[in-house]
Amino acid sequence: FFFQFAKRDGLRVIAASTGSDNKVQLFKDLGADVVFNYKITKISEVLAKGGGELIDMYVPGGRTLGGV
């Protein structure tokens, strides 16, 4: 997983789940700093809480995150 590579390089990992509690926990276990359920929370809300930091890398999953 890219989480381990990103963390090794000192990056902050923000992960969106597919809405599954199991995947939320998996992403946390893999070392993601922020995990959210895109079915409940908009990515723009998550990023707004992050202090306006830039994203170094975006790795899309099976669905595009809208509303940024």
Side-chain angles (χ1 to χ4, degrees):
F1 286 105
F2 70 92
F3 290 161
Q4 291 92 348
F5 294 114
K7 295 303 291 182
R8 180 196 67 199
D9 291 340
L11 301 176
R12 184 166 175 243
V13 176
I14 301 174
S17 81
T18 61
S20 160
D21 290 341
N22 291 338
K23 286 189 179 180
V24 169
Q25 188 59 52
L26 172 64
F27 293 165
K28 287 180 181 179
D29 292 345
L30 289 173
D33 297 300
V34 178
V35 182
F36 69 99
N37 181 334
Y38 73 80
K39 292 181 180 179
I40 299 170
T41 306
K42 292 182 180 181
I43 190 171
S44 57
E45 295 171 6
V46 174
L47 295 176
K49 293 179 184 176
E53 299 156 357
L54 296 176
I55 296 175
D56 295 309
M57 176 182 6
Y58 170 67
V59 180
R63 183 172 174 174
T64 304
L65 297 174
V68 176

